[in-house]
């Protein structure tokens, strides 16, 4: 079975928009697990624009499945990760002004900081994955530098899908799917776990499910968007009832 990791960062984004207590990503995580999520993914960004340290600590206590922490390789966040000990860490590149993670991690076999970060996380029993562009050479480097898994960045493929509205014969879409397939083949060849994420939706997910030995999908935006929509009617209904009951 392919593991479904639900990324709940956007729930925290709504909370932070008001610096309020709701909606609480910890409760969202609980509901996501009741719905069938095998794990919860959060990105603790350096600018703390959505997920806060408090969330990560509470999620460590409450998540029943796999807790996957996305983070950039930096000393502060590494210390927190080692203290909280999520089940998995996905190392991602981070740029201050970006709307979301743009592009995969640059993996260089000589990168001592990256290697040391991976080693320290692994020594703490944390599974380490690297969020990378779907390139066979980068998959090989991820294996060589000691990562347990790669998460293939599916964003460019997802954009191609949106652009051609899912026309499976579209040249760009075929090219982007081939990139993912070649990277997945390399993951099988070198023996590294295969995850994928970014831009995956209810419309496009089917096209990824044949990737060989795909272990996990991390999906956020599309699921949170749908949650807002399918919950709207009930939320308004509940408020309507309170108003209609009157002051008594
Ligand atoms: N995987 C990684 C490494 C990400 O940075 C993100 C976005 O936070 C996701 C998966 C989820 O992407 P999306 O929100 O587009 O589903």
């Amino acid at each position: 079975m392919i593991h479904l990791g639900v990324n709940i960062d956007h729930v925290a984004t709504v909370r932070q928009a008001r610096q309020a207590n709701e909606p609480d990503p910890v409760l969202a995580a609980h509901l996501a697990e009741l719905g069938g999520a095998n794990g919860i993914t959060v990105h603790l960004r350096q600018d703390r624009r959505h997920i806060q340290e408090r969330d990560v600590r509470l999620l460590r206590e409450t998540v029943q499945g796999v807790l996957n922490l996305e983070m950039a390789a930096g000393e502060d966040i590494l210390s927190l990760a080692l203290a909280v000990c999520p089940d998995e860490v996905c190392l991602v590149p981070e740029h201050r002004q970006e709307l979301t993670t743009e592009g995969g991690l640059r993996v260089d076999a000589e990168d001592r900081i990256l290697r040391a970060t991976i080693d320290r996380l692994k020594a703490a029993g944390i599974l380490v994955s690297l969020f990378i562009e779907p390139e066979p050479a980068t998959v090989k480097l991820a294996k060589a530098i000691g990562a347990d898994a790669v998460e293939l960045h599916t964003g460019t493929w997802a954009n191609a899908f949106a652009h051609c509205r899912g026309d499976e014969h579209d040249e760009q879409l075929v090219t982007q799917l081939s990139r993912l397939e070649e990277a997945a083949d390399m993951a099988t060849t070198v023996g590294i776990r295969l995850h994928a994420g970014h831009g995956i939706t209810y419309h496009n997910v089917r096209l990824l499910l044949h990737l060989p030995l795909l272990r996990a999908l991390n999906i956020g935006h599309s699921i949170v968007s749908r949650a807002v929509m399918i919950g709207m009617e009930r939320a308004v209904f509940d408020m309507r009832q309170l108003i209609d009951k009157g002051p008594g």
Side-chain angles (χ1 to χ4, degrees):
M1 190 183 71
I2 296 174
H3 169 109
L4 171 61
V6 176
N7 181 315
I8 54 170
D9 292 349
H10 285 356
V11 176
T13 300
V14 176
R15 177 191 61 191
Q16 295 312 112
R18 282 291 179 92
Q19 305 274 316
N21 294 328
E22 64 173 8
D24 191 338
V26 177
L27 178 55
H30 178 66
L31 295 173
E33 289 198 296
L34 287 181
N38 307 104
I40 298 298
T41 294
V42 289
H43 184 173
L44 185 66
R45 295 188 67 100
Q46 277 155 339
D47 62 12
R48 304 291 195 270
R49 72 166 81 142
H50 42 56
I51 293 294
Q52 307 295 310
E53 292 182 28
R54 165 266 185 204
D55 302 328
V56 181
R57 291 184 196 283
L58 282 176
L59 287 166
R60 174 66 294 179
E61 287 176 32
T62 56
V63 167
Q64 304 289 303
V66 172
L67 178 62
N68 174 31
L69 176 65
E70 290 175 8
M71 54 175 250
E75 193 52 44
D76 287 2
I77 292 188
L78 179 60
S79 305
L80 183 99
L82 292 170
V84 172
C85 231
D87 302 291
E88 294 185 15
V89 159
C90 179
L91 294 172
V92 300
E94 211 173 281
H95 310 290
R96 284 205 172 263
Q97 300 304 327
E98 67 189 359
L99 288 177
T100 179
T101 315
E102 288 166 1
L105 200 65
R106 212 170 264 179
V107 186
D108 174 352
E110 305 301 315
D111 185 337
R112 294 221 194 107
I113 296 179
L114 182 59
R115 191 178 280 269
T117 304
I118 294 170
D119 288 348
R120 285 171 68 189
L121 290 165
K122 284 176 67 171
I126 299 169
L127 186 134
V128 181
S129 89
L130 304 185
F131 185 56
I132 59 164
E133 290 298 321
E135 292 156 354
T138 315
V139 175
K140 263 188 180 171
L141 284 170
K143 174 73 182 180
I145 206 165
D148 300 298
V150 284
E151 179 168 330
L152 299 182
H153 189 329
T154 48
T156 310
W157 164 82
N159 287 342
F161 183 96
H163 191 253
C164 71
R165 299 200 190 133
D167 171 4
E168 291 182 32
H169 303 294
D170 178 82
E171 205 179 313
Q172 275 305 314
L173 185 58
V174 171
T175 304
Q176 293 305 327
L177 190 57
S178 306
R179 288 181 75 215
L180 289 164
E181 288 165 349
E182 283 161 23
D185 285 343
M186 182 55 78
T188 306
T189 305
V190 300
I192 191 166
R193 291 164 78 120
L194 183 69
H195 302 170
H198 218 285
I200 300 172
T201 69
Y202 294 85
H203 296 292
N204 66 23
V205 64
R206 182 181 59 83
L207 296 189
L208 291 178
L209 302 180
H210 69 289
L211 291 178
L213 299 183
L214 178 64
R215 299 276 288 254
L217 291 173
N218 283 313
I219 309 179
H221 184 88
S222 195
I223 290 178
V224 175
S225 302
R226 187 171 166 89
V228 170
M229 288 303 161
I230 64 179
M232 182 61 82
E233 188 175 348
R234 173 63 196 268
V236 174
F237 182 82
D238 290 351
M239 181 59 80
R240 182 73 262 164
Q241 283 207 317
L242 284 176
I243 294 168
D244 291 348
K245 260 209 267 166

